[in-house]
């Protein structure tokens, strides 16, 4: 295992228990760094540390720290001055409380460190604190001094190691004033349902599967230029306009997310996109479900046809029309008293009696 260099040596103060520890960085940067060059000839641009009073370059061993006063006076500060400060956290991580982990706002999170037991005697108290943190399911809040200032920290267990996250002081967190939209917006339940569906479709992800695609692209570009090849051109992104229909955008996002996962987007997509119900006409079988209404409609329509066919009604025609109307009324009246079968027979016989007056008129 690669030996990690410690950046701070001290102890954890846990009541009357003192645990010697070493502080090592828990994270490392993989960012690609660039050098400044003179664009005309490619020469390196370097910064030289020069003393303004002597106008000469000085070495790192000659450089110290100082505080600049309001009038510009420089007050020298040495490492011994900082080490002798009358505070217990100068060389100690002092635990002040144990709280539930959800009490810590992620906005306060800063740099992360691993705490390593410094020496064999530190193994027992180190393990005691680690197991106590595990069983309590809490985190420890501590104060410590590092790089010339006192800081706030949070201790928690990562695997079998105690880790410490540097925390910003509460007064270092800005109030989010003027950041939220200043207009009144109403979100409908339908839009929230689609947002929930999109979150469910995207699901979860293993953070270990995520990679820095930008760094990979930069490395490929550097490799291509170093070998004299032309770097690959990135695809031109499609122009993105304003989203005019939030519902449509959410619905499309849900469909595309399901398609990318190979899920069926048939019936579910129709239900989620608010597909309108299909309107179908009533079938003829349903229309014959009520005999009383059917008989009445036939009598009325036949009487209407007779009136339309005779432009110049004669006396005989008027008489026959009255007879036909009377017969229709009798048929309708009898239909109420008789069962459905009798009504059907009467309706079947009615057209034969009405056919005679039509022939005489012609």
């Amino acid at each position: 295992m690669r030996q990690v260099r410690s950046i701070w040596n001290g102890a954890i103060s846990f009541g009357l228990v003192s645990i010697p520890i070493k502080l090592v960085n828990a994270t490392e940067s993989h960012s690609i760094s660039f050098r400044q060059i003179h664009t005309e000839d490619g020469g390196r641009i370097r910064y030289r540390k020069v003393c303004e009073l002597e106008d000469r370059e000085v070495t790192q061993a000659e450089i110290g720290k100082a505080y600049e006063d309001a009038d510009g006076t420089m007050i020298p500060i040495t490492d011994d001055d900082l080490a002798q400060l009358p505070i217990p956290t100068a060389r100690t991580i002092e635990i002040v409380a144990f709280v539930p982990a959800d009490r810590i706002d992620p906005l306060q999170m800063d740099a992360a460190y691993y705490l390593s037991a410094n020496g064999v005697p530190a193994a027992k108290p180190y393990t005691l604190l680690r197991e106590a943190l595990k069983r309590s399911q809490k985190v420890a809040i501590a104060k410590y001094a590092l790089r010339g200032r006192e800081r706030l920290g949070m201790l928690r267990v990562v695997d079998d190691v105690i880790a410490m996250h540097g925390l910003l002081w509460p007064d270092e967190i800005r109030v989010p004033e003027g950041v939220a939209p200043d207009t009144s917006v109403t979100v409908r339940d339908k839009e929230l349902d689609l947002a929930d569906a999109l979150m469910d479709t995207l699901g979860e992800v293993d953070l270990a599967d995520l990679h820095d695609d930008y760094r990979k692209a930069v490395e490929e570009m550097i490799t291509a230029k170093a070998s004299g090849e032309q770097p690959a051109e990135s695809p031109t992104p499609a122009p993105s306009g304003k989203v005019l229909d939030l519902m449509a955008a959410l619905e499309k996002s849900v469909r595309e997310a399901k398609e990318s996962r190979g899920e069926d987007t048939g019936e579910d997509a129709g239900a989620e996109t608010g597909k309108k119900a299909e309107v179908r006409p009533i079938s003829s079988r349903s229309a014959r479900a009520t005999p009383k209404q059917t008989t009445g409609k036939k009598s009325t329509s036949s009487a209407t046809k007779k009136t339309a066919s005779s432009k110049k009604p004669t006396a005989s025609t008027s008489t026959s029309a009255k007879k036909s109307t009377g017969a229709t009324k009798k048929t309708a009246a009898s239909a109420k008293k008789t069962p459905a079968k009798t009504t059907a027979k009467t309706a079947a016989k009615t057209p034969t009696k009405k056919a005679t007056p039509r022939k005489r008129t012609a």
Side-chain angles (χ1 to χ4, degrees), residues 23 88 152 276:
L23 194 70
L152 195 63
K276 295 182 179 179

Side-chain angles (χ1 to χ4, degrees), residues 272-338:
E272 290 167 354
T273 56
K275 186 177 181 181
K276 295 182 179 179
E278 186 176 354
V279 180
R280 296 181 179 179
I282 300 175
S283 61
S284 57
R285 183 177 300 176
S286 302
R288 289 195 295 268
T290 54
K292 292 182 181 180
Q293 296 178 359
T294 306
T295 306
K297 289 180 181 179
K298 285 184 178 179
S299 301
T300 306
S301 61
S302 60
T304 305
K305 288 180 180 179
K306 288 179 182 180
T307 306
S309 62
S310 55
K311 295 181 180 179
K312 296 180 181 180
T314 58
S316 60
T317 305
S318 301
T319 305
S320 62
K322 289 180 180 179
K323 290 181 180 179
S324 177
T325 304
T328 305
K329 289 181 178 180
K330 289 179 181 180
T331 305
S334 62
K336 295 179 180 180
K337 298 178 181 180
T338 58

